[in-house]
Amino acid sequence: MLKKKYILSAVAVAGVVAIGWLIFGRKPVVQYDAVKVTRGKIDDVVELSGKVQAGKIANLHLGAGGLVTYVGAKEGDAVKAGQTLAGLDTRTLQNTLKEKLNLYVKQLNTFDQTKADNQTAIDANSIDNTLRRILENNQYSLDNTVKDVEYQDLLIKLSYIYSPFNGLLVSSPVTAPGATVLATDTWTVVDPTSLEFDADLDETDLKNVHTGQKVLIALDAFPGKSLESTVGSISFTPTETTTSTTYTMKVPIAAADLANLRLGLNGTADVVLEEKANALLVPASAISQVNGSPVVTVKENGKYKTVPVETGIENNGSVEVVSGVAEGTTVYVQK
């Protein structure tokens, strides 16, 4: 009876060991997905965020505040270069100008009379210091009245604002005459044909990006649509933030792509540093590292093995294979 117990115990232990081996000791089977090495296009890009801005934009102010008596355009109107946008009540300025003109004429008469009274001495070139000072003071007074007239005329001109170019009046503080404005109030004119994409270029990418490089613009408002252009300019002075130093990269937008675009649209600009139209490509997941070097997994004589490869451009989940495998080779990606 005791012998039978020992036999049952040994069987139980063996069963436990067998189950443990099946659960913990058995090496798991690695599964792979097979993919082909193919040829295709791949780009090396720098992706930058930015928004649509205007190359020609003017923020205009009146020379002084006052009562608006003329409105030549309302917000949203198309305007022409030189068109009057708004004007202030200039009656007081006009009256002051007339007074300045009267003073000018009076001073001119005084100047002419002084010269006439002393013409004999002037012709004989025998004027003394006293007479010279009288003539000089009259000339100074005349010059001052001229400047007063010019200044008053300038104030009248500054009581009106004009569009500097053809465009749209996108912002105006008034809609009709009768409103009072301040000198700080702003009229904004934008040339809609000058829209561009302004992106923030980090200083670390400055060495790789230069004017003329191809750019693909993707706007958040128009998913699936890409605008092609080139780098137009890169600012010389940086914009410094608490985290980095960036430069403004300006990308012109072609006239054919301007429809429906608005100021402030957000998006990204992919600057194409390099592109290859017929590169050998594998999924990025097919590349692994052995001792710091890239390898792919192939199957030979029914067994999996790794093959070293040289890689190039990586973008959008694909990697260029420069050497190591040929087109059509099946490589295996571990599941």
Side-chain angles (χ1 to χ4, degrees):
M1 192 70 175
L2 185 60
K3 186 175 182 181
K4 187 175 182 180
K5 284 185 177 181
Y6 282 134
I7 294 173
L8 290 174
S9 298
V11 170
V13 171
V16 171
V17 171
I19 293 171
W21 180 86
L22 287 173
I23 296 175
F24 301 105
R26 187 177 181 181
K27 189 176 181 180
V29 177
V30 179
Q31 295 183 322
Y32 293 91
D33 286 328
V35 294
K36 293 283 188 181
V37 178
T38 60
R39 287 195 179 272
K41 179 182 178 182
I42 191 168
D43 301 325
D44 184 13
V45 303
V46 173
E47 183 178 297
L48 308 173
S49 61
K51 61 178 56 181
V52 174
Q53 302 285 14
K56 291 177 70 175
I57 182 170
N59 294 312
L60 309 171
H61 305 272
L62 289 164
L67 177 66
V68 176
T69 57
Y70 176 78
V71 174
K74 297 186 293 296
E75 188 173 307
D77 286 350
V79 294
K80 299 290 186 181
Q83 179 177 337
T84 304
L85 303 180
L88 297 177
D89 183 357
T90 60
R91 287 174 294 183
T92 301
L93 294 175
Q94 293 284 359
N95 289 333
T96 303
L97 177 60
K98 290 178 181 178
E99 292 177 1
K100 298 296 184 182
L101 285 170
N102 290 338
L103 288 174
Y104 166 74
V105 174
K106 180 180 178 181
Q107 187 60 44
L108 179 61
N109 289 337
T110 300
F111 178 77
D112 289 341
Q113 188 61 53
T114 302
K115 286 185 64 178
D117 292 343
N118 298 278
Q119 193 63 49
T120 301
I122 293 172
D123 292 341
N125 198 24
S126 60
I127 59 176
D128 58 18
N129 289 334
T130 301
L131 180 57
R132 181 179 291 106
R133 284 193 292 270
I134 292 173
L135 293 172
E136 288 177 348
N137 289 337
N138 272 268
Q139 182 66 60
Y140 294 148
S141 296
L142 181 62
D143 290 345
N144 286 340
T145 57
V146 170
K147 293 183 183 301
D148 284 342
V149 170
E150 291 175 344
Y151 175 70
Q152 202 64 31
D153 182 59
L154 177 61
L155 287 179
I156 292 174
K157 291 178 179 177
L158 291 177
S159 296
Y160 296 87
I161 53 174
Y162 309 89
S163 176
F165 45 76
N166 295 339
L168 290 174
L169 180 61
V170 299
S171 175
S172 172
V174 296
T175 57
T180 300
V181 296
L182 303 174
T184 54
D185 288 334
T186 305
W187 284 255
T188 302
V189 178
V190 170
D191 180 359
T193 66
S194 71
L195 294 184
E196 62 189 20
F197 190 83
D198 290 3
D200 297 324
L201 178 65
D202 192 89
E203 61 180 336
T204 57
D205 294 317
L206 195 59
K207 63 182 181 298
N208 297 320
V209 178
H210 54 78
T211 57
Q213 285 176 315
K214 179 179 176 181
V215 179
L216 299 175
I217 302 169
L219 299 175
D220 297 345
F222 304 99
K225 183 178 180 180
S226 180
L227 309 180
E228 184 172 331
S229 186
T230 58
V231 178
S233 65
I234 300 170
S235 66
F236 187 77
T237 55
T239 300
E240 295 187 8
T241 67
T242 56
T243 57
S244 65
T245 298
T246 62
Y247 294 80
T248 300
M249 183 187 77
K250 295 182 178 294
V251 182
I253 299 175
D257 295 325
L258 292 175
N260 301 320
L261 296 191
R262 296 291 186 272
L263 286 176
L265 289 177
N266 294 299
T268 57
D270 286 347
V271 182
V272 181
L273 306 180
E274 184 182 6
E275 58 182 338
K276 295 183 179 180
N278 195 33
L280 288 176
L281 304 177
V282 297
S285 56
I287 303 293
S288 56
Q289 299 288 323
V290 174
N291 297 326
S293 299
V295 298
V296 295
T297 300
V298 298
K299 198 172 186 181
E300 188 176 287
N301 298 325
K303 294 183 178 180
Y304 296 106
K305 72 171 190 176
T306 58
V307 175
V309 293
E310 180 184 355
T311 59
I313 300 171
E314 180 175 353
N315 190 21
N316 290 329
S318 295
V319 177
E320 175 196 9
V321 178
V322 178
S323 64
V325 291
E327 181 182 0
T329 300
T330 301
V331 296
Y332 295 85
V333 181
Q334 187 172 332
K335 291 183 179 181

